[in-house]
Amino acid sequence: MPRWFVLAALLLAACSPTLNWREVPLAPGTSVALLPCKPDHATRSVPLGGVPTELDVAGCEAGGATFAVMVATLPEGRAPDEVLAGWQQATLANMQAAAASARTPFRPPGGLPLAHAERLVAQGQGTDGKAVAAEAVWTAHAVEGGGTELLHAVMYAPRPQPEVADAFFAGLKLR
């Protein structure tokens, strides 16, 4: 995607009075995200790749959509691509989506070249049973001292909003 397109999408999305974009540091690492609202933060243990893993979540709602960014750190020796693949399957299953309607590679600067570092679009159901469109990305990068930081960002909305999703995903910075 051309750089000018991403900048234009950010500017268009930034003009919306309901989307108040801000840079948010992501715990426990040094990565940051651009979120359109003041996020709530939570940490919980989840079974990523069958192993209990601390997952840090920042999320909020704005403009009729829900935005969430999740970060987990894997120790050396764990296969990050396998974990990303399982995470994608769990996300699709959770929203009762049969499959993703579109998949494209997603590799921001510093991201590892993994097969499941992807952006996908899917249609499914929200927890309330209503139709929901999801646009999501998964990526990973090596962390100082060993291990891998995994990052997953997702936007759920009643209908696809690709311009807003473009701005959201362009704001993810791996550091």
Side-chain angles (χ1 to χ4, degrees):
M1 178 180 314
R3 181 177 210 116
W4 65 267
F5 182 78
V6 172
L7 291 173
L10 278 170
L11 289 174
L12 286 173
C15 292
S16 172
T18 59
L19 303 178
N20 183 9
W21 295 96
R22 68 209 56 222
E23 195 170 88
V24 177
L26 303 173
T30 57
S31 297
V32 297
L34 194 64
L35 286 165
C37 39
K38 185 177 179 183
D40 292 321
H41 296 270
T43 301
R44 61 185 178 155
S45 182
V46 297
L48 285 181
V51 176
T53 306
E54 287 297 305
L55 183 67
D56 291 285
V57 182
C60 59
E61 294 185 14
T66 300
F67 299 82
V69 182
M70 292 152 256
V71 178
T73 302
L74 300 180
E76 277 188 82
R78 296 223 16 226
D81 198 49
E82 290 176 16
V83 175
L84 291 181
W87 203 346
Q88 288 179 11
Q89 290 173 347
T91 300
L92 292 172
N94 194 37
M95 63 181 287
Q96 301 175 26
S101 61
R103 288 181 186 267
T104 55
F106 182 76
R107 188 170 168 204
L112 295 173
L114 302 173
H116 292 94
E118 295 180 299
R119 177 174 178 170
L120 65 79
V121 177
Q123 298 287 326
Q125 289 184 2
T127 55
D128 60 2
K130 293 181 182 178
V132 68
E135 296 203 38
V137 296
W138 289 263
T139 191
H141 68 103
V143 293
E144 191 174 312
T148 307
E149 184 176 86
L150 306 180
L151 188 139
H152 167 49
V154 62
M155 182 182 99
Y156 296 106
R159 63 179 182 9
Q161 298 179 37
E163 311 82 31
V164 177
D166 288 344
F168 179 37
F169 300 145
L172 298 171
K173 306 291 184 230
L174 308 177
R175 298 187 178 155

